[in-house]
Amino acid sequence: MRGPRGDLSQRDAPVPASASTRTGSAFRLRASFLTPLARGGTRYEPDGIVEIDASGCIAWVGAAGEAGGRQGGAGGAGGRQGGAGEAGGRQGGAGEAATSSGPGAPADAPVVDLRPMLLLPGMVDLHAHLPQIPNAGLGAGLELLTWLDRYIFPMERGFDEAHAERLAPAAFRAFAAAGTTTAVIYAAVYEPSTEATFRAAEAHGLRAVIGKVMMDRLSYDDRLAPADVLETSLRQSADLCSRWHGRDDGRLRYAFTPRFAVSCSADMLRESARLAAETDAYWQTHLAEDRGELAEVARLFPEATDYLDIYDRAGGLGARTILAHAIHLSEREVARLAESGAHVAHCPGSNLFLASGAMPLARYRDAGISVGLGSDVAAGPELSIFAAMRAGAFTQSSLRALEARPPDRGTTDAPIPTQMLTPLDWLRLGTLEGARALGIDDVTGSLEVGKEADFIAIDVARTAPLPGVEAAEPDDLMSRLIFRPHPDMVRGAWVRGRLLEGPGV
């Protein structure tokens, strides 16, 4: 790979073995890095050092020149301890939270030079359907309920334990290769295949929240009598939660997963929400994705004020709730969603693929709704959160263009258009905001001291339109990653300092 002098002769090589440190060995990486900061703003270092301690946590980050005075520091220049705001080349100035005066890695920890690669926090995918991955890209233009019947329920029906044992390991490698280090996953309705999915996540090393899908309407599990589905699904989900929630010091967690109101009775919604509250697990479902879905929900739950009210009556709204899509919401629903503290997984690639609608993202953010990003594969045609950022940016640009109109006669004032997210805003949405939605922003989501070392290494040259025209500024770097992502640009992905299988392989 390219060193400080820009040698491109090993561009296709994966991250070297010396950087594939497993838990228990400290190491340092030298590269540029770009990260949102918990206190606001963004930090960019064109030549930085990230130190990982033996526990897999970030011990120090800073400019290479700041590391010279540290024990075992790399770089040699300056002799500073890394006080924030001292070195050039950074954005946002939030400061000390990204730098430490602690001991860092020991003096004999290896330094792996990854220049000119760019280190980012690992992406957080708040919504993905692992059994559906083989169907990615199929069924474009169908409306949601037809697409589910034609492509998805038949696919999930075959997701038994043996199928999961074959597919799940490959899926986790694919997540890592796309730059995702944390994924929130729907399995299928079967306990054994969900168990196999957890086993694969445990072996691979990805940070994952997984749930067995719960459906007592429209269930494709023909092995159970309809009268037995509710009790069986609740019992199996509770058993899975007891075995897996909090496993490996919290790397693996459980989400009770009623699919959506169309496929769940009021009893299923209420009892699953109760189990989630009792176990401090997550509760995930879909909300207001498609107008046809809204009409069916209104027919099934005539007593509800609106779609969100169904979940509210079930006790499902709260800080551990993740609602996918939430495109078509009333003003009442927007206000209640913000008040409840529940989180939204924005899946713009999926929404465009199925022509479901366009989320008014700026309106939701202004209202105080917590929003992160999801791939929603297979309705989302790609696992990449960078692709979700691109779809989201195009969606917001389209909304802004539709809002723009000439000023009324007699005035020079035009309506104020939708506030656009910058490339660095999209980075925050795909990393730190996703971690906040899961309540783990003190653990992951940014490259800051004390957090677990979940990050990715990107060969930014792969996003250039021509050789030798690489971006240099942080906004431009991120813009290229969003609008010109390359399927092989992620060359390494780490969780807790452990190099994951997938990228560069």
Side-chain angles (χ1 to χ4, degrees):
M1 62 197 55
R2 191 166 64 169
R5 298 181 184 276
D7 178 13
L8 302 178
S9 61
Q10 299 183 50
R11 172 63 54 83
D12 293 327
V15 171
S18 55
S20 60
T21 309
R22 304 286 173 166
T23 301
S25 299
F27 64 103
R28 297 179 176 86
L29 295 179
R30 184 170 184 174
S32 59
F33 68 78
L34 176 62
T35 181
L37 299 172
R39 294 169 56 188
T42 305
R43 183 174 186 182
Y44 172 62
E45 290 292 352
D47 183 12
I49 297 288
V50 179
E51 297 184 359
I52 315 302
D53 67 21
S55 69
C57 292
I58 298 172
W60 190 85
V61 292
E66 296 176 343
R70 296 173 50 76
Q71 182 183 18
R80 289 177 290 175
Q81 279 294 104
E86 296 174 359
R90 68 189 63 179
Q91 301 286 317
E96 294 90 349
T99 316
S100 170
S101 58
D108 59 350
V111 179
V112 181
D113 195 337
L114 295 184
R115 290 176 293 171
M117 289 194 187
L118 173 69
L119 303 183
L120 296 177
M123 299 297 114
V124 179
D125 187 342
L126 286 180
H127 186 66
H129 294 265
L130 188 145
Q132 299 178 17
I133 291 176
N135 273 358
L138 303 182
L142 294 176
E143 60 91 25
L144 173 65
L145 299 182
T146 301
W147 179 77
L148 287 171
D149 286 337
R150 187 176 301 178
Y151 285 98
I152 298 310
F153 292 160
M155 168 67 70
E156 290 189 7
R157 184 178 291 113
F159 193 70
D160 58 15
E161 184 175 15
H163 192 179
E165 288 175 343
R166 293 191 301 272
L167 179 65
F172 289 120
R173 292 193 295 270
F175 276 114
T180 295
T181 56
T182 300
V184 181
I185 292 169
Y186 285 53
V189 298
Y190 311 119
E191 180 183 18
S193 61
T194 306
E195 181 85 18
T197 301
F198 267 112
R199 291 197 302 266
E202 183 178 44
H204 180 263
L206 199 83
R207 193 180 298 276
V209 178
I210 304 171
K212 185 192 86 67
V213 171
M214 309 171 79
M215 303 166 62
D216 61 344
R217 289 182 176 135
L218 307 178
S219 178
Y220 49 74
D221 186 356
D222 52 14
R223 298 173 300 181
L224 286 175
D228 296 333
V229 171
L230 174 62
E231 187 276 333
T232 301
S233 186
L234 291 168
R235 173 176 49 79
Q236 291 177 339
S237 297
D239 289 346
L240 285 162
C241 181
S242 69
R243 291 194 296 272
W244 289 102
H245 187 56
R247 190 81 160 253
D248 193 16
D249 294 326
R251 179 173 64 85
L252 301 177
R253 304 188 185 209
Y254 195 78
F256 288 88
T257 308
R259 187 178 212 112
F260 64 155
V262 173
S263 65
C264 293
S265 67
D267 288 341
M268 177 69 86
L269 296 172
R270 182 181 62 255
E271 291 304 305
S272 63
R274 178 185 61 80
L275 287 170
E278 289 177 353
T279 57
D280 200 30
Y282 298 99
W283 194 78
Q284 62 174 347
T285 189
H286 298 76
L287 172 68
E289 179 179 359
D290 172 271
R291 292 197 181 277
E293 169 200 5
L294 264 66
E296 182 64 6
V297 165
R299 184 186 72 80
L300 292 169
F301 295 88
E303 72 284 0
T305 302
D306 46 41
Y307 199 156
L308 186 68
D309 187 48
I310 297 167
Y311 297 149
D312 209 353
R313 289 171 181 239
L317 301 185
R320 307 284 277 180
T321 301
I322 303 168
L323 303 169
H325 304 295
I327 302 171
H328 307 288
L329 299 181
S330 66
E331 290 296 335
R332 192 208 76 83
E333 289 172 299
V334 169
R336 175 61 185 135
L337 190 52
E339 178 187 45
S340 73
H343 311 278
V344 169
H346 179 30
C347 307
S350 164
N351 301 155
L352 293 177
F353 185 78
L354 294 179
S356 299
M359 175 190 280
L361 179 59
R363 172 186 162 212
Y364 290 2
R365 284 163 57 89
D366 287 347
I369 294 175
S370 166
V371 181
L373 294 177
S375 65
D376 192 27
V377 67
E382 300 180 68
L383 276 176
S384 170
I385 291 298
F386 295 100
M389 294 177 188
R390 179 181 59 199
F394 282 144
T395 298
Q396 300 309 306
S397 294
S398 298
L399 288 175
R400 182 176 176 132
L402 290 171
E403 290 172 353
R405 64 180 188 270
D408 296 333
R409 288 186 179 182
T411 178
T412 58
D413 295 327
I416 299 174
T418 293
Q419 183 67 37
M420 300 295 292
L421 271 67
T422 69
L424 296 180
D425 291 332
W426 285 108
L427 172 63
R428 178 175 289 270
L429 213 63
T431 55
L432 192 55
E433 292 305 314
R436 281 180 173 155
L438 296 174
I440 57 172
D441 51 302
D442 59 336
V443 173
T444 189
S446 59
L447 303 180
E448 299 185 81
V449 169
K451 293 192 175 184
E452 295 183 0
D454 298 1
F455 60 95
I456 56 178
I458 294 181
D459 183 356
V460 295
R462 290 177 181 264
T463 68
L466 294 169
V469 290
E470 299 169 24
E473 296 301 316
D475 280 286
D476 294 337
L477 283 167
M478 197 62 215
S479 186
R480 283 271 176 83
L481 297 180
I482 294 171
F483 293 104
R484 291 186 52 83
H486 189 283
D488 296 323
M489 68 185 187
V490 178
R491 308 306 291 164
W494 291 257
V495 169
R496 293 179 170 172
R498 171 185 172 185
L499 184 65
L500 303 178
E501 292 184 7
V505 178

